[in-house]
PDB file of all heavy atoms in Angstrom:
ATOM      1  N   LEU A 263     -23.096 -26.494  38.229  1.00 97.00           N
ATOM      2  CA  LEU A 263     -23.783 -27.557  37.478  1.00 97.00           C
ATOM      3  C   LEU A 263     -23.959 -27.240  35.996  1.00 97.00           C
ATOM      4  O   LEU A 263     -24.730 -27.899  35.286  1.00 97.00           O
ATOM      5  CB  LEU A 263     -25.163 -27.815  38.112  1.00 97.00           C
ATOM      6  CG  LEU A 263     -25.100 -28.385  39.532  1.00 97.00           C
ATOM      7  CD1 LEU A 263     -26.495 -28.531  40.125  1.00 97.00           C
ATOM      8  CD2 LEU A 263     -24.384 -29.735  39.532  1.00 97.00           C
ATOM      9  N   ALA A 264     -23.254 -26.197  35.510  1.00 98.00           N
ATOM     10  CA  ALA A 264     -23.415 -25.795  34.100  1.00 98.00           C
ATOM     11  C   ALA A 264     -23.077 -26.950  33.162  1.00 98.00           C
ATOM     12  O   ALA A 264     -22.069 -27.637  33.363  1.00 98.00           O
ATOM     13  CB  ALA A 264     -22.509 -24.610  33.811  1.00 98.00           C
ATOM     14  N   PRO A 265     -23.907 -27.169  32.129  1.00 98.00           N
ATOM     15  CA  PRO A 265     -23.547 -28.186  31.132  1.00 98.00           C
ATOM     16  C   PRO A 265     -22.381 -27.700  30.273  1.00 98.00           C
ATOM     17  O   PRO A 265     -22.257 -26.504  30.029  1.00 98.00           O
ATOM     18  CB  PRO A 265     -24.820 -28.325  30.285  1.00 98.00           C
ATOM     19  CG  PRO A 265     -25.632 -27.111  30.531  1.00 98.00           C
ATOM     20  CD  PRO A 265     -25.197 -26.519  31.844  1.00 98.00           C
ATOM     21  N   VAL A 266     -21.544 -28.637  29.826  1.00 98.00           N
ATOM     22  CA  VAL A 266     -20.383 -28.274  28.996  1.00 98.00           C
ATOM     23  C   VAL A 266     -20.545 -28.920  27.618  1.00 98.00           C
ATOM     24  O   VAL A 266     -20.759 -30.127  27.510  1.00 98.00           O
ATOM     25  CB  VAL A 266     -19.065 -28.741  29.658  1.00 98.00           C
ATOM     26  CG1 VAL A 266     -17.867 -28.306  28.826  1.00 98.00           C
ATOM     27  CG2 VAL A 266     -18.956 -28.198  31.074  1.00 98.00           C
ATOM     28  N   VAL A 267     -20.451 -28.099  26.587  1.00 98.00           N
ATOM     29  CA  VAL A 267     -20.649 -28.577  25.214  1.00 98.00           C
ATOM     30  C   VAL A 267     -19.396 -28.264  24.397  1.00 98.00           C
ATOM     31  O   VAL A 267     -18.833 -27.167  24.513  1.00 98.00           O
ATOM     32  CB  VAL A 267     -21.888 -27.877  24.593  1.00 98.00           C
ATOM     33  CG1 VAL A 267     -22.006 -28.195  23.120  1.00 98.00           C
ATOM     34  CG2 VAL A 267     -23.153 -28.306  25.329  1.00 98.00           C
ATOM     35  N   SER A 268     -18.966 -29.221  23.574  1.00 98.00           N
ATOM     36  CA  SER A 268     -17.826 -28.979  22.684  1.00 98.00           C
ATOM     37  C   SER A 268     -18.347 -28.638  21.299  1.00 98.00           C
ATOM     38  O   SER A 268     -19.202 -29.341  20.760  1.00 98.00           O
ATOM     39  CB  SER A 268     -16.950 -30.238  22.583  1.00 98.00           C
ATOM     40  OG  SER A 268     -16.431 -30.523  23.855  1.00 98.00           O
ATOM     41  N   ASN A 269     -17.811 -27.553  20.744  1.00 97.00           N
ATOM     42  CA  ASN A 269     -18.251 -27.104  19.419  1.00 97.00           C
ATOM     43  C   ASN A 269     -17.005 -26.606  18.670  1.00 97.00           C
ATOM     44  O   ASN A 269     -16.762 -25.424  18.566  1.00 97.00           O
ATOM     45  CB  ASN A 269     -19.299 -25.977  19.606  1.00 97.00           C
ATOM     46  CG  ASN A 269     -19.692 -25.289  18.319  1.00 97.00           C
ATOM     47  OD1 ASN A 269     -19.868 -24.062  18.304  1.00 97.00           O
ATOM     48  ND2 ASN A 269     -19.843 -26.032  17.266  1.00 97.00           N
ATOM     49  N   PRO A 270     -16.173 -27.560  18.210  1.00 95.00           N
ATOM     50  CA  PRO A 270     -14.891 -27.156  17.624  1.00 95.00           C
ATOM     51  C   PRO A 270     -15.071 -26.288  16.383  1.00 95.00           C
ATOM     52  O   PRO A 270     -16.055 -26.430  15.666  1.00 95.00           O
ATOM     53  CB  PRO A 270     -14.226 -28.488  17.265  1.00 95.00           C
ATOM     54  CG  PRO A 270     -15.323 -29.494  17.227  1.00 95.00           C
ATOM     55  CD  PRO A 270     -16.369 -29.008  18.170  1.00 95.00           C
ATOM     56  N   GLU A 271     -14.083 -25.399  16.184  1.00 93.00           N
ATOM     57  CA  GLU A 271     -14.141 -24.538  14.994  1.00 93.00           C
ATOM     58  C   GLU A 271     -13.253 -25.121  13.897  1.00 93.00           C
ATOM     59  O   GLU A 271     -12.266 -25.776  14.191  1.00 93.00           O
ATOM     60  CB  GLU A 271     -13.732 -23.113  15.362  1.00 93.00           C
ATOM     61  CG  GLU A 271     -12.361 -22.970  16.021  1.00 93.00           C
ATOM     62  CD  GLU A 271     -11.213 -22.974  15.058  1.00 93.00           C
ATOM     63  OE1 GLU A 271     -11.464 -22.720  13.870  1.00 93.00           O
ATOM     64  OE2 GLU A 271     -10.084 -23.267  15.486  1.00 93.00           O
ATOM     65  N   PHE A 272     -13.631 -24.847  12.649  1.00 93.00           N
ATOM     66  CA  PHE A 272     -12.845 -25.335  11.512  1.00 93.00           C
ATOM     67  C   PHE A 272     -12.403 -24.170  10.631  1.00 93.00           C
ATOM     68  O   PHE A 272     -12.232 -24.324   9.424  1.00 93.00           O
ATOM     69  CB  PHE A 272     -13.668 -26.352  10.700  1.00 93.00           C
ATOM     70  CG  PHE A 272     -14.054 -27.576  11.497  1.00 93.00           C
ATOM     71  CD1 PHE A 272     -15.288 -27.659  12.121  1.00 93.00           C
ATOM     72  CD2 PHE A 272     -13.163 -28.626  11.655  1.00 93.00           C
ATOM     73  CE1 PHE A 272     -15.646 -28.776  12.875  1.00 93.00           C
ATOM     74  CE2 PHE A 272     -13.505 -29.751  12.412  1.00 93.00           C
ATOM     75  CZ  PHE A 272     -14.742 -29.823  13.020  1.00 93.00           C
ATOM     76  N   LEU A 273     -12.293 -22.989  11.234  1.00 91.00           N
ATOM     77  CA  LEU A 273     -11.987 -21.790  10.450  1.00 91.00           C
ATOM     78  C   LEU A 273     -10.566 -21.834   9.913  1.00 91.00           C
ATOM     79  O   LEU A 273      -9.642 -22.212  10.622  1.00 91.00           O
ATOM     80  CB  LEU A 273     -12.118 -20.541  11.326  1.00 91.00           C
ATOM     81  CG  LEU A 273     -13.389 -20.388  12.136  1.00 91.00           C
ATOM     82  CD1 LEU A 273     -13.308 -19.136  12.983  1.00 91.00           C
ATOM     83  CD2 LEU A 273     -14.596 -20.345  11.217  1.00 91.00           C
ATOM     84  N   ARG A 274     -10.424 -21.363   8.660  1.00 89.00           N
ATOM     85  CA  ARG A 274      -9.080 -21.188   8.110  1.00 89.00           C
ATOM     86  C   ARG A 274      -8.746 -19.716   8.169  1.00 89.00           C
ATOM     87  O   ARG A 274      -9.600 -18.869   7.887  1.00 89.00           O
ATOM     88  CB  ARG A 274      -9.035 -21.623   6.630  1.00 89.00           C
ATOM     89  CG  ARG A 274      -9.090 -23.106   6.418  1.00 89.00           C
ATOM     90  CD  ARG A 274      -9.435 -23.414   4.986  1.00 89.00           C
ATOM     91  NE  ARG A 274     -10.728 -22.819   4.635  1.00 89.00           N
ATOM     92  CZ  ARG A 274     -11.220 -22.759   3.400  1.00 89.00           C
ATOM     93  NH1 ARG A 274     -10.515 -23.204   2.391  1.00 89.00           N
ATOM     94  NH2 ARG A 274     -12.400 -22.225   3.164  1.00 89.00           N
ATOM     95  N   GLU A 275      -7.497 -19.395   8.523  1.00 86.00           N
ATOM     96  CA  GLU A 275      -7.108 -17.997   8.533  1.00 86.00           C
ATOM     97  C   GLU A 275      -7.179 -17.477   7.101  1.00 86.00           C
ATOM     98  O   GLU A 275      -6.840 -18.177   6.159  1.00 86.00           O
ATOM     99  CB  GLU A 275      -5.685 -17.856   9.075  1.00 86.00           C
ATOM    100  CG  GLU A 275      -5.646 -18.126  10.559  1.00 86.00           C
ATOM    101  CD  GLU A 275      -4.258 -17.973  11.156  1.00 86.00           C
ATOM    102  OE1 GLU A 275      -3.445 -17.232  10.596  1.00 86.00           O
ATOM    103  OE2 GLU A 275      -4.012 -18.597  12.189  1.00 86.00           O
TER     104      GLU A 275
END
Side-chain angles (χ1 to χ4, degrees):
L263 294 176
V266 183
V267 172
S268 297
N269 172 219
E271 56 81 19
F272 298 96
L273 310 177
R274 287 164 301 170
E275 289 181 25

